[in-house]
Coordinates of all heavy atoms in Angstrom, one line a residue:
M1 N 111.3 112.9 100.1 CA 110.1 113.6 100.3 C 109.2 112.8 101.3 O 109.1 111.6 101.2 CB 109.3 113.7 98.9 CG 110.0 114.5 97.9 SD 110.3 116.2 98.2 CE 108.7 116.9 98.2
Y2 N 108.6 113.5 102.1 CA 107.5 113.0 103.0 C 106.3 113.0 102.2 O 105.9 114.0 101.6 CB 107.4 113.8 104.3 CG 106.2 113.5 105.1 CD1 106.2 112.4 106.0 CD2 105.0 114.2 105.0 CE1 105.1 112.1 106.8 CE2 103.9 113.8 105.7 CZ 103.9 112.8 106.6 OH 102.8 112.5 107.4
V3 N 105.5 111.9 102.1 CA 104.3 111.8 101.3 C 103.2 111.3 102.2 O 103.3 110.4 102.9 CB 104.6 110.8 100.1 CG1 103.3 110.7 99.3 CG2 105.8 111.2 99.3
C4 N 102.0 112.0 102.0 CA 100.8 111.6 102.7 C 99.7 111.4 101.7 O 99.5 112.3 100.9 CB 100.4 112.7 103.7 SG 99.0 112.2 104.7
G5 N 99.1 110.3 101.7 CA 98.0 109.9 100.7 C 96.7 109.9 101.4 O 96.6 109.4 102.5
E6 N 95.7 110.4 100.7 CA 94.3 110.3 101.1 C 93.4 109.8 100.0 O 93.8 109.9 98.8 CB 93.8 111.7 101.5 CG 94.5 112.4 102.6 CD 93.9 113.8 102.9 OE1 92.8 114.1 102.4 OE2 94.6 114.6 103.5
G7 N 92.3 109.2 100.4 CA 91.3 108.8 99.4 C 91.7 107.5 98.7 O 91.7 107.4 97.4
H8 N 92.1 106.5 99.4 CA 92.4 105.2 98.8 C 91.1 104.3 98.7 O 90.4 104.3 99.7 CB 93.5 104.5 99.7 CG 94.1 103.3 99.0 ND1 93.5 102.1 98.9 CD2 95.3 103.2 98.5 CE1 94.3 101.3 98.2 NE2 95.5 101.9 98.0
P9 N 90.9 103.6 97.6 CA 89.7 102.8 97.4 C 89.5 101.7 98.4 O 88.4 101.2 98.7 CB 89.8 102.3 96.0 CG 91.2 102.4 95.7 CD 91.8 103.5 96.4
E10 N 90.6 101.3 99.1 CA 90.5 100.1 100.0 C 90.5 100.6 101.5 O 90.5 99.8 102.4 CB 91.7 99.2 99.8 CG 91.7 98.5 98.4 CD 92.9 97.6 98.2 OE1 93.6 97.3 99.2 OE2 93.1 97.3 97.0
L11 N 90.5 101.9 101.7 CA 90.5 102.5 103.1 C 89.2 103.3 103.3 O 88.6 103.7 102.3 CB 91.7 103.3 103.3 CG 93.1 102.7 103.1 CD1 94.2 103.7 103.3 CD2 93.2 101.5 104.0
T12 N 88.9 103.5 104.5 CA 87.7 104.3 104.8 C 88.0 105.8 104.5 O 89.2 106.2 104.4 CB 87.3 104.2 106.3 OG1 88.4 104.7 107.1 CG2 86.9 102.8 106.6
G13 N 87.0 106.6 104.3 CA 87.2 108.0 103.9 C 88.2 108.8 104.7 O 88.8 109.7 104.2
D14 N 88.3 108.6 106.0 CA 89.1 109.4 106.9 C 90.5 108.8 107.1 O 91.3 109.4 107.8 CB 88.4 109.6 108.2 CG 88.2 108.4 109.0 OD1 88.2 107.3 108.4 OD2 87.9 108.4 110.2
Q15 N 90.8 107.7 106.5 CA 92.1 107.1 106.7 C 93.1 107.7 105.7 O 92.9 107.8 104.5 CB 92.1 105.6 106.5 CG 91.4 104.8 107.7 CD 91.4 103.3 107.4 OE1 90.9 102.9 106.4 NE2 92.0 102.6 108.3
T16 N 94.3 108.0 106.3 CA 95.4 108.4 105.4 C 96.6 107.5 105.7 O 96.5 106.7 106.6 CB 95.8 109.9 105.8 OG1 96.3 109.9 107.2 CG2 94.7 110.8 105.6
H17 N 97.6 107.7 104.9 CA 98.8 106.9 105.0 C 100.0 107.7 104.6 O 99.9 108.5 103.6 CB 98.7 105.6 104.3 CG 99.8 104.6 104.6 ND1 100.0 104.1 105.9 CD2 100.8 104.1 103.8 CE1 101.1 103.3 105.9 NE2 101.6 103.3 104.6
A18 N 101.1 107.5 105.3 CA 102.3 108.3 104.9 C 103.5 107.4 104.7 O 103.6 106.3 105.3 CB 102.6 109.3 106.0
W19 N 104.5 107.9 103.9 CA 105.7 107.2 103.6 C 106.7 108.2 103.1 O 106.4 109.4 103.0 CB 105.5 106.1 102.6 CG 104.9 106.6 101.3 CD1 105.6 107.0 100.2 CD2 103.5 106.7 100.9 NE1 104.8 107.4 99.2 CE2 103.5 107.2 99.6 CE3 102.3 106.4 101.5 CZ2 102.3 107.5 98.9 CZ3 101.2 106.7 100.9 CH2 101.1 107.2 99.6
F20 N 107.9 107.7 102.8 CA 109.0 108.6 102.3 C 109.3 108.1 100.9 O 109.2 106.9 100.6 CB 110.2 108.5 103.2 CG 110.1 109.4 104.4 CD1 109.7 108.9 105.6 CD2 110.5 110.8 104.3 CE1 109.6 109.7 106.7 CE2 110.4 111.6 105.4 CZ 109.9 111.1 106.6
E21 N 109.7 109.0 100.0 CA 110.2 108.7 98.7 C 111.5 109.3 98.5 O 111.8 110.5 98.8 CB 109.2 109.3 97.6 CG 107.9 108.6 97.7 CD 106.9 109.1 96.6 OE1 107.2 110.2 96.0 OE2 105.8 108.6 96.5
V22 N 112.4 108.5 97.9 CA 113.8 109.0 97.5 C 113.9 108.5 96.0 O 114.0 107.3 95.8 CB 114.9 108.3 98.4 CG1 116.2 108.8 97.9 CG2 114.6 108.7 99.8
D23 N 114.0 109.5 95.1 CA 114.0 109.2 93.7 C 112.8 108.3 93.4 O 111.7 108.7 93.6 CB 115.4 108.5 93.3 CG 116.5 109.5 93.5 OD1 116.3 110.7 93.3 OD2 117.6 109.0 93.8
N24 N 113.0 107.1 92.8 CA 111.9 106.2 92.4 C 111.7 105.1 93.5 O 111.0 104.1 93.2 CB 112.1 105.6 91.1 CG 111.9 106.6 90.0 OD1 111.0 107.5 90.1 ND2 112.7 106.5 88.9
V25 N 112.2 105.3 94.6 CA 112.1 104.3 95.7 C 111.1 104.9 96.8 O 111.3 106.0 97.2 CB 113.5 104.0 96.3 CG1 113.3 103.1 97.5 CG2 114.4 103.4 95.3
L26 N 110.2 104.0 97.2 CA 109.2 104.4 98.2 C 109.6 103.6 99.4 O 109.8 102.4 99.4 CB 107.9 104.0 97.7 CG 106.6 104.4 98.4 CD1 105.5 104.6 97.5 CD2 106.3 103.4 99.5
I27 N 109.7 104.3 100.6 CA 110.1 103.6 101.8 C 108.9 103.8 102.8 O 108.6 104.9 103.2 CB 111.4 104.3 102.4 CG1 112.5 104.2 101.4 CG2 111.7 103.6 103.7 CD1 113.7 105.1 101.7
D28 N 108.3 102.6 103.1 CA 107.1 102.6 103.9 C 107.3 101.7 105.1 O 107.0 100.5 105.0 CB 105.9 102.2 103.1 CG 104.6 102.3 103.8 OD1 104.6 102.6 105.1 OD2 103.5 102.2 103.2
I29 N 107.8 102.2 106.2 CA 108.1 101.4 107.4 C 106.8 101.0 108.1 O 106.9 100.1 109.0 CB 109.1 102.0 108.3 CG1 108.5 103.4 108.9 CG2 110.4 102.2 107.6 CD1 109.4 104.0 110.0
T30 N 105.7 101.6 107.8 CA 104.4 101.2 108.4 C 103.5 100.6 107.4 O 102.2 100.6 107.6 CB 103.8 102.5 109.1 OG1 103.5 103.4 108.0 CG2 104.6 103.0 110.1
Y31 N 104.0 99.9 106.4 CA 103.2 99.3 105.4 C 102.2 98.3 106.0 O 101.2 98.0 105.4 CB 104.1 98.6 104.3 CG 104.7 97.3 104.9 CD1 104.1 96.1 104.7 CD2 105.9 97.4 105.6 CE1 104.7 94.9 105.2 CE2 106.5 96.2 106.1 CZ 105.9 95.0 105.9 OH 106.4 93.9 106.4
D32 N 102.5 97.7 107.1 CA 101.7 96.6 107.7 C 100.6 97.1 108.5 O 99.9 96.3 109.2 CB 102.6 95.7 108.5 CG 103.3 96.4 109.6 OD1 103.3 97.6 109.7 OD2 104.0 95.6 110.4
Q33 N 100.3 98.4 108.5 CA 99.2 99.0 109.3 C 97.8 98.5 108.8 O 96.9 98.5 109.6 CB 99.2 100.5 109.3 CG 100.2 101.1 110.2 CD 100.1 102.6 110.1 OE1 99.9 103.2 109.1 NE2 100.2 103.2 111.3
F34 N 97.7 98.2 107.6 CA 96.4 97.9 107.0 C 96.5 96.5 106.4 O 97.3 96.1 105.6 CB 96.1 98.9 105.8 CG 96.2 100.3 106.3 CD1 97.3 101.1 105.9 CD2 95.2 100.9 107.0 CE1 97.4 102.4 106.3 CE2 95.3 102.2 107.4 CZ 96.4 103.0 107.1
E35 N 95.5 95.7 106.9 CA 95.4 94.3 106.4 C 94.9 94.2 105.0 O 94.1 95.0 104.6 CB 94.5 93.5 107.4 CG 95.1 93.3 108.8 CD 94.2 92.5 109.7 OE1 93.4 91.6 109.1 OE2 94.2 92.7 110.9
G36 N 95.3 93.2 104.3 CA 94.7 92.9 103.0 C 95.4 93.7 101.9 O 94.8 93.7 100.8
T37 N 96.5 94.4 102.1 CA 97.1 95.2 101.1 C 97.9 94.3 100.1 O 98.2 94.7 99.0 CB 98.0 96.3 101.7 OG1 99.1 95.6 102.4 CG2 97.2 97.2 102.6
G38 N 98.4 93.2 100.6 CA 99.3 92.4 99.8 C 100.7 92.9 99.8 O 101.5 92.3 99.1
L39 N 101.0 93.9 100.6 CA 102.3 94.5 100.7 C 103.2 93.6 101.5 O 102.8 93.0 102.5 CB 102.3 95.9 101.3 CG 101.5 96.9 100.5 CD1 101.5 98.2 101.3 CD2 102.1 97.1 99.1
S40 N 104.5 93.5 101.1 CA 105.5 92.7 101.8 C 106.8 93.5 101.7 O 107.2 94.0 100.7 CB 105.6 91.3 101.1 OG 106.7 90.6 101.8
G41 N 107.5 93.6 102.9 CA 108.7 94.4 102.9 C 108.3 95.9 103.1 O 107.2 96.2 103.2
W42 N 109.3 96.7 103.1 CA 109.1 98.1 103.3 C 109.7 99.0 102.2 O 109.7 100.2 102.4 CB 109.4 98.6 104.7 CG 110.8 98.2 105.2 CD1 111.1 97.0 105.8 CD2 112.0 98.9 105.0 NE1 112.5 97.0 106.0 CE2 113.0 98.2 105.6 CE3 112.3 100.2 104.5 CZ2 114.4 98.6 105.6 CZ3 113.6 100.6 104.5 CH2 114.6 99.8 105.1
V43 N 110.2 98.4 101.2 CA 110.7 99.2 100.0 C 109.9 98.8 98.8 O 109.8 97.7 98.5 CB 112.2 98.9 99.8 CG1 112.8 99.7 98.6 CG2 113.0 99.3 101.1
F44 N 109.5 99.9 98.1 CA 108.6 99.7 96.9 C 109.0 100.6 95.8 O 109.8 101.6 96.0 CB 107.1 99.9 97.3 CG 106.7 99.2 98.5 CD1 106.8 99.7 99.7 CD2 106.2 97.9 98.3 CE1 106.4 99.0 100.9 CE2 105.8 97.2 99.4 CZ 105.9 97.7 100.7
T45 N 108.5 100.4 94.6 CA 108.8 101.2 93.5 C 107.8 102.3 93.4 O 106.6 102.1 93.5 CB 108.8 100.5 92.1 OG1 109.7 99.4 92.2 CG2 109.1 101.4 91.0
R46 N 108.2 103.6 93.3 CA 107.3 104.7 93.3 C 106.3 104.7 92.2 O 106.7 104.3 91.1 CB 108.1 106.0 93.3 CG 107.3 107.2 93.2 CD 108.1 108.5 93.2 NE 107.3 109.6 93.0 CZ 107.7 110.8 92.7 NH1 109.0 111.0 92.4 NH2 106.9 111.8 92.6
G47 N 105.1 105.0 92.4 CA 104.1 105.1 91.4 C 103.5 103.8 90.9 O 102.8 103.7 89.9
T48 N 103.7 102.7 91.7 CA 103.1 101.4 91.4 C 102.3 100.8 92.5 O 102.5 101.2 93.7 CB 104.2 100.4 91.0 OG1 105.0 100.2 92.1 CG2 105.0 100.9 89.8
G49 N 101.5 99.9 92.3 CA 100.8 99.1 93.3 C 99.9 99.9 94.2 O 99.3 100.9 93.8
W50 N 99.8 99.4 95.4 CA 98.8 99.9 96.4 C 99.0 101.4 96.7 O 98.0 102.1 96.8 CB 99.0 99.1 97.7 CG 98.0 99.4 98.8 CD1 96.7 98.8 98.9 CD2 98.1 100.2 99.9 NE1 96.1 99.3 100.0 CE2 97.0 100.2 100.6 CE3 99.2 101.0 100.4 CZ2 96.8 100.9 101.8 CZ3 99.0 101.8 101.5 CH2 97.8 101.7 102.2
H51 N 100.2 101.9 96.8 CA 100.5 103.3 97.1 C 100.0 104.2 95.9 O 99.6 105.3 96.2 CB 102.0 103.5 97.3 CG 102.4 102.8 98.6 ND1 102.9 101.5 98.6 CD2 102.5 103.2 99.9 CE1 103.3 101.2 99.8 NE2 103.0 102.2 100.6
A52 N 100.0 103.7 94.7 CA 99.7 104.6 93.6 C 98.1 104.8 93.5 O 97.7 105.6 92.7 CB 100.2 103.9 92.3
Q53 N 97.4 104.1 94.3 CA 95.9 104.2 94.2 C 95.3 105.3 95.0 O 94.1 105.5 95.0 CB 95.3 102.9 94.7 CG 95.6 101.7 93.7 CD 95.0 100.4 94.2 OE1 93.9 100.4 94.7 NE2 95.8 99.4 94.1
F54 N 96.1 106.1 95.8 CA 95.6 107.2 96.5 C 95.1 108.3 95.6 O 95.8 108.7 94.6 CB 96.6 107.8 97.5 CG 96.8 106.9 98.7 CD1 97.7 105.9 98.7 CD2 96.0 107.1 99.8 CE1 97.9 105.1 99.9 CE2 96.1 106.3 101.0 CZ 97.1 105.3 101.0
E55 N 94.0 108.9 95.8 CA 93.4 110.0 95.0 C 94.2 111.3 95.2 O 94.4 112.0 94.3 CB 92.0 110.2 95.3 CG 91.1 109.1 94.8 CD 89.6 109.3 95.2 OE1 89.3 110.4 95.6 OE2 88.9 108.3 95.2
N56 N 94.5 111.6 96.4 CA 95.2 112.8 96.8 C 96.5 112.5 97.5 O 96.5 111.8 98.4 CB 94.3 113.7 97.7 CG 93.0 114.0 97.1 OD1 92.9 114.5 96.0 ND2 91.9 113.7 97.9
I57 N 97.6 113.1 96.9 CA 98.9 112.9 97.5 C 99.6 114.2 97.7 O 99.6 115.1 96.9 CB 99.8 112.0 96.6 CG1 99.2 110.6 96.5 CG2 101.2 112.0 97.1 CD1 100.0 109.6 95.7
E58 N 100.0 114.4 99.0 CA 100.7 115.6 99.4 C 102.2 115.3 99.6 O 102.5 114.4 100.3 CB 100.1 116.2 100.6 CG 100.9 117.4 101.1 CD 100.5 117.8 102.5 OE1 99.4 117.4 103.0 OE2 101.2 118.6 103.2
R59 N 103.1 116.0 99.0 CA 104.5 115.8 99.1 C 105.1 117.1 99.8 O 104.7 118.2 99.4 CB 105.2 115.5 97.8 CG 104.9 114.2 97.2 CD 105.6 113.9 95.9 NE 105.5 112.6 95.5 CZ 104.5 112.1 94.8 NH1 103.5 112.9 94.5 NH2 104.4 110.8 94.5
R60 N 106.0 116.8 100.7 CA 106.7 118.0 101.3 C 108.2 117.5 101.6 O 108.4 116.3 101.7 CB 106.0 118.5 102.6 CG 106.1 117.5 103.7 CD 105.6 118.2 105.0 NE 104.1 117.9 105.0 CZ 103.4 118.2 106.1 NH1 103.9 118.8 107.1 NH2 102.1 117.9 106.1
N61 N 109.0 118.5 101.7 CA 110.4 118.2 102.0 C 110.5 117.3 103.2 O 110.0 117.7 104.3 CB 111.2 119.5 102.2 CG 112.7 119.2 102.2 OD1 113.1 118.1 102.4 ND2 113.4 120.3 102.2
G62 N 111.1 116.1 103.1 CA 111.2 115.2 104.2 C 112.4 115.4 105.1 O 112.5 114.8 106.1
F63 N 113.3 116.3 104.7 CA 114.5 116.6 105.4 C 114.3 117.8 106.3 O 114.4 118.9 105.8 CB 115.7 116.8 104.5 CG 117.0 116.9 105.3 CD1 117.6 115.8 105.9 CD2 117.6 118.1 105.4 CE1 118.7 115.9 106.6 CE2 118.7 118.3 106.2 CZ 119.3 117.2 106.7
C64 N 113.9 117.6 107.5 CA 113.7 118.6 108.5 C 113.9 118.1 109.9 O 113.8 116.9 110.1 CB 112.3 119.3 108.3 SG 110.9 118.2 108.7
M65 N 114.0 118.9 110.8 CA 114.1 118.5 112.2 C 112.8 117.8 112.7 O 111.8 118.2 112.2 CB 114.5 119.7 113.1 CG 115.8 120.3 112.8 SD 117.2 119.1 112.9 CE 117.2 118.7 114.6
P66 N 112.9 116.9 113.6 CA 111.7 116.2 114.0 C 110.6 117.1 114.5 O 109.4 116.8 114.4 CB 112.2 115.3 115.1 CG 113.6 115.0 114.7 CD 114.1 116.3 114.1
S67 N 111.0 118.3 115.1 CA 109.9 119.2 115.6 C 109.1 119.7 114.4 O 108.0 120.2 114.7 CB 110.6 120.3 116.3 OG 111.5 121.1 115.5
G68 N 109.6 119.7 113.2 CA 108.8 120.1 112.1 C 107.9 119.1 111.4 O 107.2 119.3 110.5
W69 N 108.0 117.8 111.9 CA 107.3 116.8 111.3 C 105.8 116.8 111.8 O 105.5 117.3 112.9 CB 107.8 115.4 111.8 CG 109.2 115.1 111.3 CD1 109.9 115.8 110.4 CD2 110.0 114.0 111.7 NE1 111.1 115.2 110.2 CE2 111.2 114.1 111.0 CE3 109.8 113.0 112.6 CZ2 112.2 113.1 111.2 CZ3 110.8 112.1 112.8 CH2 112.0 112.1 112.1
P70 N 104.9 116.3 111.0 CA 103.5 116.2 111.5 C 103.5 115.3 112.7 O 104.4 114.5 112.9 CB 102.8 115.5 110.3 CG 103.6 115.8 109.1 CD 105.0 115.9 109.6
C71 N 102.5 115.3 113.5 CA 102.4 114.6 114.8 C 102.8 113.2 114.7 O 103.5 112.6 115.5 CB 101.0 114.8 115.4 SG 100.9 114.1 117.0
Y72 N 102.2 112.5 113.7 CA 102.3 111.0 113.6 C 103.8 110.6 113.6 O 104.2 109.8 114.4 CB 101.5 110.5 112.5 CG 101.7 109.0 112.2 CD1 101.2 108.1 113.1 CD2 102.5 108.6 111.1 CE1 101.4 106.7 112.9 CE2 102.7 107.2 110.9 CZ 102.1 106.3 111.8 OH 102.3 105.0 111.6
P73 N 104.6 111.0 112.6 CA 106.0 110.6 112.6 C 106.8 111.1 113.8 O 107.7 110.5 114.2 CB 106.6 111.0 111.3 CG 105.5 111.8 110.6 CD 104.3 111.8 111.4
Y74 N 106.5 112.3 114.3 CA 107.2 112.9 115.4 C 107.0 112.0 116.6 O 108.0 111.7 117.3 CB 106.7 114.3 115.7 CG 107.5 114.9 116.8 CD1 108.8 115.3 116.7 CD2 106.9 115.1 118.1 CE1 109.5 115.8 117.7 CE2 107.6 115.7 119.1 CZ 108.9 116.0 118.9 OH 109.6 116.5 120.0
D75 N 105.8 111.5 116.9 CA 105.6 110.6 118.0 C 106.4 109.3 117.9 O 106.9 108.8 118.8 CB 104.1 110.3 118.1 CG 103.2 111.4 118.6 OD1 103.8 112.4 119.1 OD2 102.0 111.4 118.5
G76 N 106.4 108.8 116.6 CA 107.2 107.6 116.4 C 108.7 107.8 116.6 O 109.4 107.0 117.2
Y77 N 109.2 108.9 116.2 CA 110.6 109.3 116.4 C 110.9 109.4 117.9 O 111.9 108.9 118.4 CB 110.9 110.6 115.7 CG 112.3 111.1 115.8 CD1 113.4 110.5 115.1 CD2 112.6 112.2 116.7 CE1 114.7 110.9 115.3 CE2 113.9 112.6 116.8 CZ 114.9 112.0 116.1 OH 116.2 112.5 116.2
R78 N 110.0 110.1 118.6 CA 110.2 110.2 120.1 C 110.2 108.8 120.8 O 111.0 108.6 121.6 CB 109.2 111.1 120.7 CG 109.4 111.4 122.1 CD 108.4 112.3 122.8 NE 107.1 111.7 122.7 CZ 106.0 112.3 122.2 NH1 106.1 113.5 121.7 NH2 104.9 111.7 122.2
A79 N 109.3 107.9 120.3 CA 109.3 106.6 120.9 C 110.5 105.8 120.7 O 111.0 105.1 121.6 CB 108.1 105.8 120.4
V80 N 111.1 106.0 119.5 CA 112.4 105.3 119.2 C 113.5 105.8 120.1 O 114.3 105.1 120.7 CB 112.7 105.5 117.7 CG1 114.2 105.0 117.4 CG2 111.8 104.7 116.8
L81 N 113.6 107.1 120.2 CA 114.6 107.7 121.1 C 114.4 107.2 122.5 O 115.4 106.9 123.2 CB 114.6 109.2 121.0 CG 115.0 109.9 119.7 CD1 114.9 111.4 119.8 CD2 116.4 109.5 119.3
E82 N 113.2 107.2 123.0 CA 113.0 106.7 124.4 C 113.4 105.3 124.5 O 113.9 104.9 125.6 CB 111.5 107.0 124.7 CG 111.2 108.4 124.9 CD 109.7 108.6 125.1 OE1 108.9 107.7 125.1 OE2 109.3 109.8 125.3
S83 N 113.1 104.5 123.5 CA 113.4 103.0 123.6 C 114.9 102.8 123.6 O 115.4 101.9 124.2 CB 112.8 102.2 122.5 OG 113.4 102.5 121.3
L84 N 115.7 103.8 123.0 CA 117.1 103.7 123.0 C 117.7 104.4 124.2 O 119.0 104.6 124.3 CB 117.6 104.3 121.7 CG 117.2 103.6 120.4 CD1 117.7 104.4 119.2 CD2 117.9 102.2 120.4
N85 N 116.9 105.0 125.0 CA 117.3 105.8 126.2 C 118.2 107.0 125.8 O 119.1 107.3 126.4 CB 118.1 104.9 127.2 CG 117.2 103.8 127.8 OD1 116.1 104.1 128.2 ND2 117.8 102.6 127.9
V86 N 117.8 107.6 124.7 CA 118.5 108.8 124.1 C 117.7 110.1 124.5 O 118.3 111.1 124.6 CB 118.7 108.7 122.6 CG1 119.4 109.9 122.1 CG2 119.5 107.4 122.3
A87 N 116.4 109.9 124.6 CA 115.5 111.1 124.8 C 115.7 111.7 126.2 O 116.1 111.1 127.1 CB 114.1 110.8 124.5

């Protein structure tokens, strides 16, 4: 599942954060975007710690073509392809 969280007590009102969840595993490759989270690594247990503090969480099917992704991950995907000279 693609997950987007809003309303975290340690972030400003307009800041959101997104990650993927597979079963009880949370995969957050951009965990280091925010200083002071205490997060280390990019695999976490779902429903615990910093990620569990978001007031609003939206989940959607994460398995779709990149063109169906919200802008943020789509831009990242395109940048990876360009760096690999695949795009």
Side-chain angles (χ1 to χ4, degrees):
M1 298 298 289
Y2 170 84
V3 182
C4 183
E6 296 179 18
H8 194 283
E10 297 176 16
L11 302 178
T12 62
D14 61 341
Q15 285 181 303
T16 63
H17 190 60
W19 58 90
F20 280 93
E21 293 179 353
V22 179
D23 295 325
N24 285 325
V25 176
L26 188 149
I27 303 165
D28 186 352
I29 61 171
T30 59
Y31 73 93
D32 59 351
Q33 283 185 317
F34 307 104
E35 293 183 26
T37 62
L39 298 175
S40 177
W42 49 271
V43 177
F44 307 92
T45 302
R46 180 180 175 195
T48 63
W50 187 82
H51 294 90
Q53 296 179 41
F54 284 91
E55 292 176 14
N56 303 308
I57 293 181
E58 174 192 345
R59 288 183 171 83
R60 68 173 91 173
N61 189 349
F63 185 75
C64 65
M65 296 303 295
S67 61
W69 295 351
C71 182
Y72 174 73
Y74 181 71
D75 289 347
Y77 178 75
R78 186 177 64 234
V80 168
L81 292 179
E82 288 172 359
S83 73
L84 296 172
N85 296 317
V86 177

